[in-house]
Amino acid sequence: MSESDETSEAQKAPAASTEQQPKGPTMAATRRTAFFGAMFLMATSAVGPGFITQTSTFTYQLGAAFAFAILISVIVDIAVQLNVWRVIGVSGLYAQELGNRMLPGLGWALAGLILFGGFVFNVGNIAGAGIGLNALTGMDASLGGGLSVALALLIFLSKKAGVALDRIVVACGAVLILLMIYMAATTSPPVGEAMRQTVLPAEIDFFVITTLVGGTVGGYITYAGAHRLIASGHSGVENVRRISQTSVMGIIVASVIRFLLFLAILGVVTTGVSLAADNVAADAFQSALGEFGLRVFGLVFWVAAITSILGCTFTTVSFLTTRNTSPKVRAVLLAVFLVLTGGIFLALGQAPQTLLILAGAINGAVLPLGFTVVLAAAAFRKDLLGGYRYPKWLLIIGVLAWALTLYMGAESLTGIAELWQTG
């Protein structure tokens, strides 16, 4: 029913625009903004406070050899996202809808896991926003977190929330890239050594690679960009080429930010400066630029946090809705999610560490479950893809990446068991 409704609306749009020729470029620009928005929503959802902390810590531990881990994680991330975006984008179905079509109830089980992980991580994102504003302005972290939630609410409750979301995440992504370029240039890292160890590493740490993959395409992040495309009405076989290109570019944007941050931290590490193990990024920025560096760190951390708040909120709520959900109901769900996660942060004053660990472990388990649904639909359910003939080469690299997600899922379940026993 909903697919035919959306099709009829899409068919009406060109007919209305033929009378007024100037609307053509506007429609093209809107389409371009939607694809850019989906790309940067995925990228900036991945680039959160945890992303910055992970990248800084691993750079401090592994030095230039961390470049190899980044390269391998990028290859795996692309294999995952190419398949997820193409199946969801071509089918025009949210991941939970696709799961329910494959096996009744499976989609809602996936949605439940995403909801828990997204709920807890958003508390962490809000805490990160508070920390960022504290480093940037000296503002109390609780107040900074509360103001960031209020800003996110204003964005989602605005009349053109979708367009506002797309433009804001693109702008924030650009800011992050520019700040990372500035920091990398300032710290003068050994770029030649980093490039050499990208292909000939002195040390290989498989745990680090799987952690990076989980942090970039785990949990709700896997579906952020693809769900945004469906919400903006840009799905179907006719968009398959653009969908694939956008999915790869999203990973590349996130990876460029990671590599630039790696170079910035590496430049400090190679000077022999001792950095605080629990706050490597802030210490590195301050060591490089003094008090100004701390402010730059604050801005980077806040921008990363606010975009992750937006991405987490949008994607988690998309798992609670269908294409038939009214805009008003969706807006209420977005507001409730933000208010609840913001309220928990203000009540606790920080992110609940045990729940963050548990949510991270669940995210690791969610990836193989959701990816199994995607690959099964690609291999066996052409009817859900409108008869689209799925490329065998893409399915093969998807299965190889799926094998790694199974390992990650097993490790995550082990972590949950250990957490349960210690708790």
Side-chain angles (χ1 to χ4, degrees):
M1 292 286 292
S2 63
E3 289 183 69
S4 60
D5 291 342
E6 288 182 0
T7 302
S8 63
E9 288 182 13
Q11 290 171 341
K12 290 176 185 177
S17 63
T18 53
E19 296 180 10
Q20 296 179 345
Q21 294 299 326
K23 288 189 176 181
T26 302
M27 291 173 64
T30 300
R31 184 171 183 268
R32 195 161 49 245
T33 299
F35 275 95
F36 267 100
M39 177 178 77
F40 275 92
L41 184 68
M42 179 269 140
T44 55
S45 292
V47 183
F51 176 103
I52 293 173
T53 302
Q54 276 183 359
T55 303
S56 302
T57 301
F58 289 147
T59 302
Y60 192 38
Q61 292 174 355
L62 299 178
F66 182 49
F68 177 77
I70 294 175
L71 174 63
I72 299 302
S73 70
V74 170
I75 294 172
V76 176
D77 291 343
I78 288 176
V80 171
Q81 287 290 268
L82 264 175
N83 281 280
V84 170
W85 282 55
R86 185 170 295 206
V87 170
I88 290 178
V90 170
S91 69
L93 298 169
Y94 287 132
Q96 74 274 15
E97 294 180 291
L98 191 67
N100 286 332
R101 296 282 187 92
M102 298 291 293
L103 180 66
L106 178 60
W108 295 124
L110 178 63
L113 293 173
I114 293 287
L115 176 61
F116 175 76
F119 200 94
V120 176
F121 274 116
N122 211 45
V123 177
N125 291 332
I126 295 168
I131 292 170
L133 285 180
N134 175 261
L136 178 62
T137 67
M139 180 187 299
D140 179 76
S142 295
L143 177 59
L147 288 176
S148 299
V149 170
L151 175 60
L153 270 171
L154 288 174
I155 292 169
F156 282 121
L157 296 180
S158 64
K159 290 183 178 180
K160 295 184 177 180
V163 175
L165 178 63
D166 290 338
R167 291 177 177 173
I168 287 169
V169 294
V170 170
C172 286
V175 168
L176 283 172
I177 291 174
L178 290 174
L179 286 172
M180 290 299 98
I181 291 175
Y182 172 71
M183 282 302 299
T186 300
T187 61
S188 302
V191 176
E193 179 64 12
M195 297 304 292
R196 186 184 71 81
Q197 294 216 36
T198 299
V199 292
L200 296 171
E203 179 182 355
I204 299 176
D205 192 319
F206 193 69
F207 169 76
V208 169
I209 294 172
T210 56
T211 301
L212 293 186
V213 172
T216 309
V217 294
Y220 67 88
I221 301 169
T222 315
Y223 311 99
H227 278 202
R228 180 67 199 123
L229 278 183
I230 293 176
S232 64
H234 295 88
S235 59
V237 178
E238 66 276 11
N239 288 308
V240 67
R241 184 176 179 181
R242 192 73 180 269
I243 289 169
S244 297
Q245 291 173 342
T246 307
S247 67
V248 173
M249 287 304 299
I251 292 297
I252 290 175
V253 168
S255 301
V256 165
I257 294 173
R258 190 188 293 279
F259 195 76
L260 289 171
L261 176 59
F262 154 70
L263 288 177
I265 304 298
L266 183 64
V268 176
V269 170
T270 52
T271 64
V273 174
S274 180
L275 303 175
D278 61 341
N279 204 358
V280 175
D283 255 20
F285 277 55
Q286 192 167 17
S287 296
L289 298 172
E291 190 67 21
F292 178 69
L294 185 61
R295 306 304 177 204
V296 173
F297 161 78
L299 180 59
V300 168
F301 215 69
W302 181 78
V303 171
I306 191 64
T307 51
S308 290
I309 290 171
L310 295 172
C312 181
T313 301
F314 167 81
T315 310
T316 303
V317 169
S318 74
F319 272 87
L320 303 177
T321 61
T322 68
R323 290 160 299 153
N324 295 324
T325 304
S326 71
K328 287 185 178 180
V329 171
R330 188 175 287 109
V332 169
L333 290 174
L334 289 165
V336 168
F337 183 81
L338 277 170
V339 169
L340 286 177
T341 51
I344 290 173
F345 165 70
L346 291 175
L348 297 177
Q350 60 180 359
Q353 294 303 312
T354 301
L355 284 181
L356 278 174
I357 295 170
L358 181 59
I362 288 177
N363 270 356
V366 164
L367 182 53
L369 173 62
F371 203 29
T372 299
V373 171
V374 167
L375 293 177
F380 307 113
R381 296 296 302 272
K382 286 185 179 180
D383 57 311
L384 296 179
L385 305 182
Y388 174 68
R389 187 173 180 180
Y390 204 79
K392 289 184 178 179
W393 67 267
L394 186 55
L395 192 58
I396 290 171
I397 66 170
V399 170
L400 293 175
W402 173 76
L404 177 61
T405 69
L406 283 181
Y407 169 81
M408 293 169 57
E411 289 294 307
S412 295
L413 291 175
T414 301
I416 291 175
E418 291 175 355
L419 185 65
W420 185 265
Q421 290 173 0
T422 56

